Amino acid sequence: MHQHERPPGRPHASARPFRRPRLRLALATAAAAALTGTLLTATAGTATAADSTHAAQADFNGDGIGDVAFSSSGAYVSGKKDAGQLVVLYGTKTGVSSAKRSTISQNTAGNPGTAEAGDVFGADSAYADFNGDGYDDLAVSSPMEDVGSDKDGGGVAVLWGSAQGITGKGVSIADAAPTKHDRWGRNLAAGDFDGDGRADLAVGNTSNVVHVLKGGISASGTAVKGRYSVKAPVQASGDGSGPLNLTAGDVNGDRRTDLVVDGFETATGQYWNTNYLLPGTSSGLSAAGARPLKAGVITGIGDINGDGYGDIVTGMHWNKADDGVAFPEASDGGKVWITYGDADGIGSTTGITQNTGNVPGSSEKNDFFGYELDLGDVNGDGYQDLVVGVAGENLGSVADAGQVVVLYGSASGINTSTGAQSFAQSTPGVPGADEKGDFLGTDVKLDDVTGDGRADLLAGSFENDGNGAVLYLPSSGTKITATGSRTVSPSASGVSTTGYPNFGANFAD
């Protein structure tokens, strides 16, 4: 067990500032905050990779094959800028494509609300079977939505799964703190935090209070077993307040879902990244047992070494120094921290960079190794494997082309000696080409979308100056392969390429 002490007047070891690539994401303007020593340009709803110890992908149509959902939150809808859309790709024996999909906006019949400029519908989403009918449902946020006089009050809807998948039919989830302009639904996570066998929904906003709807969601949009709230030990007010991301998974093996909260704290007039593990208990999430973690703003949870405990993987993508400020635990080009779970919740911790072992590439400033990540079992050996987005990677003379790196789990943890893979659009067999500013690895997802019991890889990019695209790379059964790969584009998926739709910027977890 590793505890981090905070010396008087200084941030504790898990607190460091961060900088995200300057992508024109839909929420960048809304989320940007001037910081002393650094500048926050992340979106409020950046994806979190959130697999449980026994990772389960979504199945919205009940056909036994995994499906994926992702945002296009900057999309124009009926001429409304940044109204936002959500896209669901349904798994088939040949993987995912735009041929079998749902594209949902707030103007879709049955979806509560109306598409309006700046709502950014789909900014964050989380799946679970909230009504117990055997189909996974999808909680979706529109955090910049104006609700009456409550500017940027935010909205959350649960869209019901069915034999037809996600059709747009759903119910609105009332804001727990209306009129606070708090961007209700800024981040979402689903899990079973009290271990009663029913899905709970955690909802974040711009305060440090996380609201939990217990026991599923009723047809009227209320929590079946009521609501409660828990205060996370992150910045409570001002710029950068509230969780940056919420990630759910069982870390200590007690079959109750725990929650990682990535956020900020204030130290010496600066905002410093600080992350905590909130354990699940028989009565739900507990702030009393909050444990500090390594820094980073993207987190995944999965059992990498097969010991029955979820391991916490966090991307610290910034450089070891920026604007004259040193970040001792960081690495130029980015670093991924793995904190192995145990019965107490937190075990040993190790860091991985592109200079570690035979990890593809080399650590260079602004590579953004760890910009995104996810976990899934690619080869069916029972160990969760790790995909890392390296969104700022320069390839040859092409700046910020981006790539993804796949590292495989084993009984001793992530294997950095053998078997590692990397993919870019210049990789033989991968569609497209490396282009400046593609930022491949803007988001990543490992899910079985062919029904063969092996996780396949999907990766979002900033393709075509903000249009975005999703790259599908299947599992061969033993590893990720370019054979059978394809690109899913916004125009083929019913999403307008006017403006910056940011198609594929944020996968549902």
Side-chain angles (χ1 to χ4, degrees):
M1 179 177 70
H2 294 264
Q3 288 279 11
H4 303 290
E5 300 296 332
R6 184 215 292 257
R10 300 183 63 189
H12 57 64
S14 69
R16 296 291 182 265
F18 78 98
R19 180 193 297 270
R20 299 281 273 183
R22 290 180 174 85
L23 310 185
R24 276 179 286 187
L25 300 177
L27 295 183
T29 300
L35 308 183
T36 305
T38 188
L39 178 68
L40 166 63
T41 57
T43 71
T46 305
T48 60
D51 291 300
S52 64
T53 301
H54 304 287
Q57 62 265 338
D59 185 2
F60 300 117
N61 58 6
D63 65 356
I65 302 178
D67 309 317
V68 293
F70 54 84
S71 67
S72 189
S73 58
Y76 274 68
V77 177
S78 300
K80 306 293 186 182
K81 180 181 179 180
D82 294 337
Q85 288 175 291
L86 179 88
V87 178
V88 181
L89 303 181
Y90 298 102
T92 71
K93 290 183 179 180
T94 57
V96 292
S97 72
S98 58
K100 190 175 181 180
R101 60 165 171 84
S102 297
T103 302
I104 308 294
S105 76
Q106 287 182 293
N107 283 352
T108 301
N111 190 354
T114 303
E116 299 165 318
D119 282 354
V120 291
F121 174 75
D124 204 11
S125 51
Y127 54 78
D129 184 2
F130 292 113
N131 60 1
D133 66 354
Y135 300 102
D136 280 320
D137 311 305
L138 194 59
V140 187
S141 72
S142 47
M144 304 301 291
E145 183 166 2
D146 295 342
V147 182
S149 61
D150 187 8
K151 181 176 173 56
D152 298 338
V156 174
V158 171
L159 306 181
W160 305 121
S162 69
Q164 293 75 43
I166 300 294
T167 64
K169 293 181 180 179
V171 64
S172 180
I173 307 298
D175 190 345
T179 76
K180 299 296 185 182
H181 316 301
D182 60 355
R183 300 177 190 172
W184 171 246
R186 182 188 191 198
N187 25 59
L188 303 167
D192 182 6
F193 303 116
D194 55 8
D196 68 352
R198 296 174 178 269
D200 307 320
L201 177 64
V203 183
N205 55 33
T206 54
S207 78
N208 65 348
V209 178
V210 177
H211 298 271
V212 181
L213 289 79
K214 294 181 60 173
I217 308 296
S218 74
S220 61
T222 61
V224 172
K225 297 177 67 176
R227 299 188 186 210
Y228 67 91
S229 62
V230 58
K231 285 189 176 182
V234 296
Q235 181 73 7
S237 62
D239 290 336
S241 63
L244 294 170
N245 280 304
L246 301 175
T247 307
D250 183 8
V251 176
N252 60 7
D254 66 356
R255 300 194 179 278
R256 301 184 183 104
T257 307
D258 309 305
L259 188 72
V260 173
V261 180
D262 300 330
F264 279 129
E265 66 179 17
T266 299
T268 62
Q270 297 178 336
Y271 289 99
W272 296 76
N273 177 221
T274 179
N275 301 336
Y276 285 87
L277 174 68
L278 275 59
T281 72
S282 59
S283 57
L285 291 173
S286 170
R291 305 278 296 279
L293 297 167
K294 289 293 187 181
V297 294
I298 293 297
T299 299
I301 301 174
D303 189 2
I304 293 169
N305 56 8
D307 63 357
Y309 302 108
D311 307 311
I312 301 170
V313 188
T314 302
M316 180 193 280
H317 64 265
W318 51 88
N319 301 318
K320 63 184 179 182
D322 197 5
D323 296 334
V325 179
F327 313 136
E329 291 190 329
S331 175
D332 281 348
K335 178 183 286 189
V336 168
W337 290 102
I338 302 174
T339 300
Y340 290 96
D342 63 16
D344 190 52
I346 296 179
S348 62
T349 299
T350 187
I352 296 173
T353 72
Q354 287 183 286
N355 286 343
T356 302
N358 290 317
V359 175
S362 59
S363 295
E364 302 162 317
K365 283 190 174 182
N366 301 319
D367 278 351
F368 302 119
F369 180 77
Y371 185 78
E372 278 290 352
L373 52 86
D374 198 21
L375 294 145
D377 190 354
V378 172
N379 52 17
D381 63 358
Y383 303 108
Q384 294 282 288
D385 308 311
L386 174 66
V387 59
V388 180
V390 196
E393 184 80 32
N394 297 337
L395 297 175
S397 61
V398 183
D400 299 329
Q403 68 174 6
V404 294
V405 169
V406 183
L407 304 171
Y408 288 85
S410 72
S412 57
I414 286 293
N415 184 352
T416 58
S417 299
T418 60
Q421 299 177 278
S422 66
F423 295 89
Q425 290 186 88
S426 55
T427 301
V430 174
D434 296 334
E435 297 171 312
K436 181 180 179 180
D438 274 355
F439 292 101
L440 180 66
T442 295
D443 200 5
V444 291
K445 189 75 171 146
L446 281 176
D447 273 345
D448 174 17
V449 294
T450 61
D452 65 354
R454 306 291 193 269
D456 309 296
L457 172 59
L458 294 101
S461 70
F462 197 60
E463 188 80 20
N464 295 329
D465 194 28
N467 284 351
V470 170
L471 173 65
Y472 161 67
L473 297 164
S475 169
S476 68
T478 58
K479 62 182 180 180
I480 296 297
T481 177
T483 302
S485 63
R486 64 182 69 100
T487 297
V488 181
S489 71
S491 57
S493 304
V495 174
S496 170
T497 55
T498 302
Y500 306 104
N502 300 304
F503 180 91
N506 192 358
F507 288 100
D509 291 311

